[in-house]
Amino acid sequence: MDAIIIGAAETDVLGRNPGQSVLGLNVEGGLRALADAGLEPGQIDGVAGACSPHGVAHALGITPRWVDSTNVGGCSFLMHVRHAAAAIAAGHAARVLVTHGESGRSRTGTVPRPRDPQSWTGQFEEPYGARAPYTRFTLPALRHLHGNGLDETALAQVVVAQRRWSSRVPRAGRRDLMTLGEVLAAPVLAWPFTVPMICMLTDGGGGLVVTASGHATTEQLRRSVRVLGTGENSDPLLVAQVPDPAGDSAARRAADDAFAQARIGRSEIGHVMVYDAFAHLPLIGLECLGLAPAGGAAEMVAAGETSPGGSLPLNTNGGGLAYTHTGMYGMFAIQEAVRQLRHEAAAQVPGVSTSAVLGYGGMFTASSVLVLARN
Amino acid sequence: MTGELKPVPRPTPETLPYWEATRRRELVHHRCDGCGAGSQHPRAVCACGSTDLTWTSCTGRGRLYSYVVVHRPEPVFADEAPFVLAIVELEEGVRLTTRIVDVPADPSALPLDMDVELRWIERGDVNLPVFAPAGPEGA
Ligand SMILES: [Zn+2]
């Protein structure tokens, strides 16, 4: 695969920004990614995004030959990178702009999502009070903990480890170090999940420019990140019916495809981003990626292996739990992987050259994986 | 009562047999006549390739597969908090999102794999299948 990322940037503000609409956040994310790549909008011929890429293209003055509006939830942006790589290989586009913007906190310019009592979730989940993500995405967590002889302390360890990263990241929304006891004693939203085990709710966005090396300048190649392998997969649309979130699941199948294409072994991965809307996801995700043995992720986290100085740095921006979470976090997981591979991250892992990024979407119902490398 | 009402499932042609059965307080699942696999919601084709799927009664017995205790629900459910939102695995091998009722919303009363049995709560023109800890065998 000859796809590379030559532009990557986030919006100036992450957090509370009621003065910017969803469209405005997408446009800013796109413009900053273009500036990072040293490109003008007219040089872009493909656009992708989960929120009206046609509208974003029009606002930026781009006339796209290729459009991808895949929206399967928070991992959509990993799929956009995968689809862009395929489109570029097929000659459908030369340079693709992927944008994200969401007013998750302020709800400015957000298209309302009406309840649909005829949908699967409207019929089989919402009548029970399973509505907010922290009452749905979290449902299988106890089964995973119980099956591996663990309790809620394993969730708290994830928070402790990720705060060690976010405390070093000035742009992170939650930067205070926390002890296990403090995490466990925090207010409970949905037991066993306390507030710090649940992602932030923010406004923000970002953009990526994907191309092939043949379309890139020497200067663009210098800071580029190579897309070695990609995967995507889906599961049943109701979380209760996912066969096993940590076993045979969309994430594991996507990871297997991505590593098969990347032609590198798991042991060669030096940095990991796992979509962490909730504290059980890094544990399940590490196991689905094949970077931790089944049931062994919690022990790795507790031993400090995923913390600064550990053997497998994980969620080095602090993750959705502590950096930012607009509602669809996947864009920010990719951004941090790119920063790490460019050696430009706030909490830089020394000498890192490979990264695996795992995204989840729609309460475990979709997943995508990117294997990236320093070019 | 003012404000938003609790959500009532609205059947589609595919799900109508399921919700009509709940009106009779009968829990059904969509079972493949070929391989025996079942699901709560209707499927067009089973993973085995068979299109012979039949709505079949459940015994109403199962086990507690996983759960969360919701302390801060959306406002329309605030009067019920804390409540136990669960995944139950039925004897028939089918999993569904449901509630555990008739038990304190306290983890010490809710061991995983606990035997549960069917109860009903009324909601609009259908009934919702929920579960309670199972009584002693034969009781
Ligand atoms: Zn079958």
Side-chain angles (χ1 to χ4, degrees), chain A residues 115 123 128 134 139 241, chain B residues 15 41 66 72 74 99 129:
Chain A
R115 303 290 190 190
Q123 290 189 61
Y128 294 101
Y134 65 80
L139 269 178
Q241 298 180 359
Chain B
T15 62
H41 69 266
S66 198
R72 213 184 288 174
E74 296 204 349
R99 288 275 191 99

Side-chain angles (χ1 to χ4, degrees), chain A residues 115 117-118 120 123-124 126-129 131 134-135 139-140 142-143 146 188-191 240-243, chain B residues 4 7-8 10-11 15 19 40-41 65-69 71-72 74 77 85 95 97 99 112-113 123 129:
Chain A
R115 303 290 190 190
Q118 288 197 310
W120 288 139
Q123 290 189 61
F124 296 111
E126 291 184 23
Y128 294 101
R131 273 188 162 175
Y134 65 80
T135 62
L139 269 178
L142 264 193
R143 169 53 53 180
H146 177 80
V188 177
L189 292 189
W191 185 89
Q241 298 180 359
V242 174
Chain B
E4 192 191 357
V8 179
R10 191 179 301 158
T15 62
W19 292 112
Q40 179 195 23
H41 69 266
Y65 182 79
S66 198
Y67 66 92
V68 295
V69 182
H71 288 262
R72 213 184 288 174
E74 296 204 349
F77 290 103
L85 190 62
R95 285 187 208 143
T97 296
R99 288 275 191 99
L112 288 197
D113 298 318
R123 181 72 58 75

Side-chain angles (χ1 to χ4, degrees), chain B residues 31-38 43 45-53:
Chain B
R31 175 162 293 269
C32 171
D33 299 334
C35 70
R43 302 187 67 173
V45 186
C46 178
C48 77
S50 171
T51 52
D52 293 324
L53 291 122

